[in-house]
Amino acid sequence: MATHRFNPEFTDNVINAMGPKTTPRMRKLMSGLIRHMHDFAREEELTVDEWMAGVQMLNWAGQMSDNKRNEGQLVCDVFGLETLVDEITFTLADEAKDAPTATAILGPFFRADTPWRELGEDIVKTRPADAELVFMHGQVLDFKTKEPLAGASVEVWQASTNGLYEQQDPEQVESNLRGKFKTNEEGKYWFYCLRPTPYPVPNDGPAGKILELMDRHPFRPAHIHILATKEDYRPLTTQIFDRKDKYLDNDSVFAVKDSLLIRKFSYHYSCTPHQNTVSYLP
Ligand code: BEZ
Ligand code: FE
């Protein structure tokens, strides 16, 4: 029984227009999407102008996107959708007693063609004048046995101090501030990188417009992205955050989790390729 005063059959007519070749999962997803979209339009009594503004945002996101700019994902991120999908995935894994380190969103700046680097290498290939170099290290373990995982791949990427990832910034060399490391026989990895700094997500397109319309700032707290993979294991996508960052409580893409906040561990002098490095212990 319809609880609104509009055509009570319309939404079912649209859903029932799907043909028999649609897979069950696709039918379920499309039915839910159509039902929620129609309910939203009816509940808010969406005007033609408001709907058209939304269409223009979608088109603008498409026109801006290329292999260096993923505006569609960015729009989802400012709405919290990637973080929500990440939470759903992690909760299902947790309920199946299969959730190790907390996950966090991939974000739009991952690159599938990141180069392999030697353990101990410096991923800072274009060094900003205000750089603070840090030593980052960690260990990959089998969640069930707690044994170290040798030969796992640990991929990392971070923005420079100007807030830009290398693919956004012609001043940075290709693959600056990203690298893929293979863990040693103790499952350990280590490398040098920049002490991460907070940065604004790109806000010169529809995602920025949406933030402005909602009176929100674009900043993300300082973080480093990590993707750990190993054959026969589920990949782990996560981020680590500087425990002292001022944006931890209002990340523009809502990705912070308490267990991903890290503490400053120690300072090293002269025994490393860089002076005055800081190491982080996740
Ligand atoms: C990032 O952390 O790289 C990121 C995540 C979501 C939106 C924009 C950037
Ligand atoms: Fe990031």
Side-chain angles (χ1 to χ4, degrees), residues 23 25 31 49 54 59 76 98 122 124 134 142 146 165 180 209 224 237 241 258-259:
T23 63
R25 178 67 177 161
S31 303
D49 285 350
N59 291 346
C76 289
D98 195 16
D122 183 353
V124 189
V134 298
D142 179 306
K146 309 290 181 243
Y165 284 83
K180 223 165 18 172
K209 185 72 199 166
I224 298 178
T237 305
F241 296 89
D258 283 351
S259 64

Side-chain angles (χ1 to χ4, degrees), residues 183 187 271:
T183 56
C271 55

Side-chain angles (χ1 to χ4, degrees), residues 126 131 134 137 275:
T126 301
V134 298
H137 61 104
Q275 299 290 308

Side-chain angles (χ1 to χ4, degrees), residues 165 199 220 223 225:
Y165 284 83
Y199 65 83
R220 293 220 60 210
H223 62 275
H225 295 264

